[in-house]
Amino acid sequence: MRQRALFLLIFALTCSGCDLQTSGRYGGLYQSGANGPTPLGPNGQATQTIAILLPMTGSHSNLGQVLLQAAQLAMGTEAAPALDVLDTGGTPVGAAKATQAAVAKGDRLILGPLTSSETASVAPIARSAGIPVLAFTNDASQSQPGIWPLGISPNQQIQRLVIAAQAQGKTQFAALLPGSDFGRALAAALTKATAANSLGAPTVKMYPPGMASITASARDLSDYADRRGPLEAKVKAARATGTSEGRREAQEISKTPIPPPTFNVLLLADTGDALQEIAAILPYYDIDRSEVQIIGPALWADPSSGSGTVHGAWFAAPDRSARTTLEQDYAAKFSTPPPPLADIAYDAASVAKIILGSRNNNAILTQPGGFVGSDGWFTLAPDGQVARGLAVYRIERGGPELIDPAPQSAATPGL
């Protein structure tokens, strides 16, 4: 169930266009610092207000209620009245109107909205008013000074995997990806991550739907013809002599190992039948999975994704143990486990609770030590980028196995 929750958390955010050690009954946030965590938060009733922009009506109203409950849980009984709940209706126009209302009320910080398109409509209004925004989308393209997308993004996942692979001496990257928005996002993330880590540009092949397209792209990516072709030509020539010596020579040539591909790390994105097809095709085109490390998205945490067909593959995701406090507190408060989207609202509201007790919003938000919460450590950069400490998991027959713990601070390698 926890793996299923993780899958939905990360990819509900992606597909909708949207996407801090805690302590105490309602998860009072801890700042991460050089001298260890220090408990923060107001001691009395809050006199300032924090806007939270949610789809309380419309097609996503069920999500709005979940996010509100998680935010209220994080704020706690004393500070919860400081939440100024504003309905976006789940549309960019509604989000813009809600932001204008937050500005008029003098709110100090905006939590939400849910989707990328809503965030785009909120950003210019909030920035003009000097109000920081902790959005719930995972669309990193919405990042800009004062606007932080808190959802777990493809960029964060791929950066973590590139660093983990590099630590194992693997520095040549390739990608075999569907020509979808998600596939393109992963391709861009891989290109960015390899450049950031002074590695060569990855070889990327993208394909339209269909087995034939997948097969052709895999063959092309593997450089199958050039790697196997010369050996096959020699075998054919030896057999063409029609002699026993020629046949023996052909047998010996056939035993010659095929040169390896030009990459030793391969990024995939598919799930289900498509992933199963790719897993079957790779060895056919001489991509040896004992030599080439397969990496992929965090949705592989869910066994229903079909990730069992790529045993030994890696993915990056939050450390599942970090969510324990949220799970316990949410279940105690609402008599049900926390839905997947609860994490980002919970952590955003925990940050907001600190803002209520401070004078300088941006100084707190962009503190170098960052924060630790229900999805692990994260930090907010002045330019709107969000770095996260993700763990690396390997897919085994019994389920994902942690092989590289999540970084706990900016000083820890792996970000």
Side-chain angles (χ1 to χ4, degrees), residues 291-348:
E291 300 294 333
V292 176
Q293 179 61 56
I294 304 299
I295 60 175
L299 61 83
W300 286 358
D302 185 358
S304 69
S305 68
S307 57
T309 62
V310 284
H311 290 128
W314 296 353
F315 65 87
D319 187 329
R320 296 190 296 270
S321 65
R323 203 172 186 253
T324 301
T325 297
L326 170 59
E327 292 173 344
Q328 293 173 345
D329 289 353
Y330 194 98
K333 179 71 172 180
F334 302 110
S335 300
T336 185
L341 290 177
D343 300 53
I344 51 173
Y346 184 87
D347 287 352

